[in-house]
Amino acid sequence: MDKRQAIGSWLSGPRAAAEDAGVDFGYRGEQLGLPEEGPGAIARPGRRIGAIAVDWGLCMVIAYGLFAGGDQQAMGNWALGIFFVMSVLTVGTVGCTPGKALFRLRVIAEGGGRLAPGWVLARSVLLCLVIPALIWDRDGRGLHDRLARAVQVRI
C-alpha cells in the first residue's frame, strides 16, 4: 500500500477501507433477519429524524398550550416530560408514536413482536438523554434501540 492509498483510506473511513479490502458488510438488518427493502426493513435515518421532529413539535405545542404559560424555559422542560410520557405510552401499547405512524414506522423487539414494558421504559429514558440516539451501529440502530433490544422498521 502506498502513501496515497493509506491517506485515501484514512479520509474515507474504516468501513470504506475494509470494503476495499474485500470485507462484505451486507445490508442493514441482515444480521437481524430483516428484509433489505419494503415492509419489515430497517427504517432509514431520514424517516426516523422526520418522525422524531413531528413528535417533538407535537410535544412543544401541547406544552405551550397547556403547561408553559408563555415561559420558554418551562415550555422546553414540559415538552421533554410530555415526550417521555408519550413515548412510553404509545410505543408500549401500539408500537409507534404519532410521528412514527405518520412516517409509517414501528418499534419492535429484535425477535419480532411487541417490545416488553421494561425495555420501552429504558428506551424512552435513553432517547430523552439524546446522546444514545446519536450513536449508531452498522445496522443504523441507535444505542437506545440496541440497549433496549429494539428495532425500528418500516410498516
Side-chain angles (χ1 to χ4, degrees):
M1 177 181 278
D2 67 5
K3 290 181 183 180
R4 289 178 298 182
Q5 288 176 324
I7 291 172
S9 69
W10 177 76
L11 291 173
S12 60
R15 182 180 178 121
E19 287 173 346
D20 290 342
V23 176
D24 180 26
F25 286 104
Y27 62 86
R28 292 177 185 217
E30 184 175 20
Q31 292 181 335
L32 299 169
L34 300 173
E36 186 172 1
E37 290 294 325
I42 294 270
R44 297 285 184 195
R47 284 184 175 206
R48 292 171 35 200
I49 291 169
I52 202 162
V54 168
D55 290 336
W56 184 252
L58 180 63
C59 291
M60 290 290 279
V61 167
I62 293 169
Y64 179 77
L66 297 178
F67 301 108
D71 183 13
Q72 295 291 329
Q73 181 66 36
M75 183 175 66
N77 293 337
W78 277 108
L80 184 61
I82 293 166
F83 181 81
F84 174 76
V85 170
M86 180 183 69
S87 179
V88 169
L89 293 178
T90 58
V91 171
T93 56
V94 294
C96 61
T97 62
K100 288 186 190 335
L102 182 66
F103 282 85
R104 308 213 19 93
L105 302 176
R106 173 159 288 147
V107 179
I108 62 170
E110 283 180 345
R114 189 178 299 172
L115 198 58
W119 290 124
V120 171
L121 186 64
R123 181 186 183 278
S124 298
V125 167
L126 291 170
L127 184 58
C128 287
L129 293 175
V130 177
I131 299 298
L134 299 176
I135 302 170
W136 295 357
D137 66 2
R138 75 174 210 89
D139 287 323
R141 292 190 307 161
L143 186 58
H144 65 296
D145 281 334
R146 190 167 172 98
L147 293 175
R149 299 185 178 132
V151 182
Q152 291 188 51
V153 296
R154 293 172 49 189
I155 298 176

